[in-house]
Amino acid sequence: MIDIQKIKNQFPILNETVNGKPLVYLDNAATSQKPISVLETLQNYYTSINANVHRGIHTLSQLATEEMELARKKVQHFIHAKNDYEIIFTKGTTEGLNLLAYSFTSQIKAGDEIIISYLEHHSNIVPWQLLCQRTGAILKVIPMDGNGILQLDFLERNLSEKTKIVSVNQISNALGVINPVEEIVRKTRAMSDAKIIIDGAQSAPHFRIDVQQMDCDFFVFSGHKMYAPMGTGILYGKEEALNSLTPFHGGGEMIATCSFSETTYAGLPFKFEAGTPNVGGNIALGAAIDFMESIGNEVFVSHEHQLLEYAQEKLSGIDGLHIYAERAPRAGAISFNLEGIGIASDVGMILDKLGIAVRTGHHCTQPIMDFYSIAGTVRASFAIYNTFEEIDILSEGLKKAKRMLS
Ligand SMILES: *Cc1c(COP(=O)(O)O)cnc(C)c1O
């Protein structure tokens, strides 16, 4: 048995009270809390290392560079990338996806096709719409059924030599649905030369990630959803896939030579890291990975799976509570509404009074809400420090909300 309380004690914020009640933090799909080791790494960086990287010969600059490059190696091992220079530091999933959509521009022409899915976050929709506007490419969407399961026969009918990009998430942030990315990769490879992008914002915090086994070309995720500071994120790309792209941002750090007549670019990863990076944050992302690895991925998967099962059992026992994507394989989150109560935020407000933090609304996935003809849902999402007692508190809170609102 793992001692969840011991893990929980490493998170100072989880001892706080909210509205006079102990905090029950169930909004981890929006951002996770940070353990002391991550907070101390960040503070230690600013109190005793702070210097710009790759630029100075002086001791602190070298130390900052070494620490950040060590964090890059930790990320490499965390997702099992082949080379450390395939790891690009970004400020989050959104930046990673926008970087890709922009950098692909010169390879895409009118009539080319880009495939995403119905379950995407706005940040895996809008950058592709913008790319289509720039180039005349066409955006196609893998449909889903009422259970939130993607209809992959769509791929057989739509993949062709025209398909240039397939970009899907591994776990839906709105519903917690696990998408069969291995099957999507296999089908895509069999029928096209498309580059495959996986949005791992919701899977990296929960699953063991092996980008080589997955055989995707790119994998993007956010540090802040996996115990690291805000403003951190990763874009992984296979070496040849990254090399085929033009840079997103131009500036310092990303050049080999620069004159007014010609500029040549630095090699990977620096070609995609213009300007001063979030050095302290990136180093603290390394500490977040250390934290996760000190517990072990099997423990994460099993504890978070048990939390979800328990929440499913408790919440489905509440009369009139409707859970979305109930029959789909899910991880990390449960999304629901109380029947007859039109506004999810009313439920969220009552829960907040009880110290319970959940997310309500469209979760940056308006197409999914349109699919179900709803404005939003209530979403409870889990991390390693959540307990079964907290789900009991949520369940009681929902019963109270139901009494008050109906
Ligand atoms: C959170 C999230 C994003 C956006 O991540 P940011 O950290 O806000 O840039 C994209 N996709 C999914 C699936 C997400 O959960």
Side-chain angles (χ1 to χ4, degrees):
M1 271 299 282
I2 39 146
D3 189 346
I4 293 297
Q5 194 55 47
K6 219 166 130 190
I7 294 174
K8 203 171 169 180
N9 289 343
Q10 297 178 41
F11 290 78
I13 202 172
L14 298 176
N15 292 319
E16 294 288 314
T17 53
V18 168
N19 295 318
K21 299 281 191 325
L23 171 61
V24 174
Y25 188 77
L26 295 170
D27 193 17
N28 296 285
T31 198
S32 71
Q33 299 304 345
K34 326 300 175 197
I36 290 170
S37 60
V38 168
L39 301 174
E40 283 181 352
T41 301
L42 196 59
Q43 173 150 10
N44 182 48
Y45 169 76
Y46 281 112
T47 47
S48 57
I49 301 177
N50 185 51
N52 213 328
V53 289
H54 305 129
R55 291 175 201 198
I57 185 74
H58 65 83
T59 303
L60 289 186
S61 169
Q62 285 181 17
L63 201 53
T65 304
E66 271 166 33
E67 293 274 327
M68 195 173 96
E69 292 310 310
L70 183 64
R72 196 189 303 276
K73 282 202 180 344
K74 287 177 185 174
V75 176
Q76 178 202 347
H77 293 127
F78 181 69
I79 61 168
H80 198 233
K82 194 166 168 194
N83 303 295
D84 59 357
Y85 51 79
E86 295 172 318
I87 305 298
I88 314 291
F89 286 116
T90 65
K91 67 185 174 68
T93 306
T94 305
E95 189 182 58
L97 291 166
N98 277 277
L99 185 160
L100 288 172
Y102 185 87
S103 295
F104 264 114
T105 306
S106 62
Q107 296 181 31
I108 305 295
K109 55 184 190 312
D112 283 348
E113 295 177 356
I114 297 165
I115 296 180
I116 59 172
S117 91
Y118 222 99
L119 285 170
E120 299 314 315
H121 188 282
H122 294 161
S123 68
N124 199 22
I125 302 174
V126 185
W128 306 116
Q129 290 174 327
L130 291 167
L131 175 59
C132 288
Q133 283 167 19
R134 285 195 296 278
T135 60
I138 296 156
L139 190 64
K140 293 188 156 184
V141 183
I142 306 171
M144 67 176 200
D145 69 10
N147 284 314
I149 296 174
L150 294 181
Q151 304 295 287
L152 294 191
D153 55 328
F154 175 91
L155 287 177
E156 270 122 52
R157 283 180 279 110
N158 285 275
L159 281 167
S160 74
E161 288 314 306
K162 280 194 250 169
T163 317
K164 292 296 182 299
I165 296 165
V166 173
S167 187
V168 295
N169 65 39
Q170 190 170 9
I171 299 181
S172 152
N173 62 300
L175 305 179
V177 171
I178 305 169
N179 291 316
V181 288
E182 294 79 9
E183 192 182 342
I184 292 171
V185 171
R186 214 174 332 107
K187 287 195 153 89
T188 302
R189 296 269 184 247
M191 293 182 62
S192 75
D193 294 323
K195 290 285 190 288
I196 302 168
I197 301 165
I198 304 297
D199 171 351
Q202 295 298 337
S203 56
H206 304 294
F207 286 0
R208 180 179 299 290
I209 306 297
D210 186 330
V211 289
Q212 294 183 78
Q213 193 184 332
M214 197 185 280
D215 191 30
C216 54
D217 295 290
F218 301 98
F219 187 91
V220 287
F221 59 104
S222 299
H224 72 91
K225 292 180 178 178
M226 43 171 274
Y227 312 102
M230 287 192 172
T232 62
I234 296 295
L235 161 65
Y236 154 83
K238 274 187 188 167
E239 182 174 5
E240 62 276 24
L242 281 171
N243 277 330
S244 76
L245 299 177
T246 43
F248 177 37
H249 290 148
E253 287 292 309
M254 56 76 72
I255 58 105
T257 63
C258 178
S259 74
F260 290 119
S261 57
E262 192 195 22
T263 291
T264 57
Y265 306 130
L268 298 176
F270 308 113
K271 178 180 166 186
F272 294 102
E273 290 182 352
T276 299
N278 181 359
V279 181
N282 295 340
I283 295 170
L285 171 57
I289 289 173
D290 289 342
F291 163 77
M292 292 175 78
E293 289 181 343
S294 74
I295 294 166
N297 186 258
E298 304 70 32
V299 175
F300 269 77
V301 170
S302 118
H303 179 62
E304 290 167 349
H305 180 71
Q306 286 174 43
L307 287 172
L308 180 62
E309 297 258 285
Y310 188 64
Q312 172 70 32
E313 185 191 317
K314 283 297 258 196
L315 269 50
S316 60
I318 298 174
D319 206 30
L321 187 144
H322 177 76
I323 299 170
Y324 296 92
E326 221 173 2
R327 288 191 191 81
R330 283 169 300 155
I334 185 165
S335 208
F336 54 89
N337 270 317
L338 285 167
E339 260 158 40
I341 294 161
I343 307 171
S345 60
D346 287 351
V347 178
M349 234 126 56
I350 292 173
L351 294 178
D352 180 56
K353 293 275 180 292
L354 302 169
I356 306 165
V358 294
R359 176 85 182 263
T360 61
H362 57 62
H363 317 294
C364 299
T365 56
Q366 281 188 3
I368 301 177
M369 303 302 128
D370 293 345
F371 179 94
Y372 290 115
S373 304
I374 52 177
T377 72
V378 185
R379 179 189 68 190
S381 53
F382 311 115
I384 189 68
Y385 42 66
N386 288 124
T387 62
F388 298 101
E389 294 76 53
E390 288 177 322
I391 290 167
D392 291 337
I393 296 169
L394 170 68
S395 172
E396 291 310 309
L398 287 167
K399 286 178 193 161
K400 182 163 185 187
K402 200 182 144 203
R403 283 197 301 276
M404 287 175 74
L405 293 169
S406 52

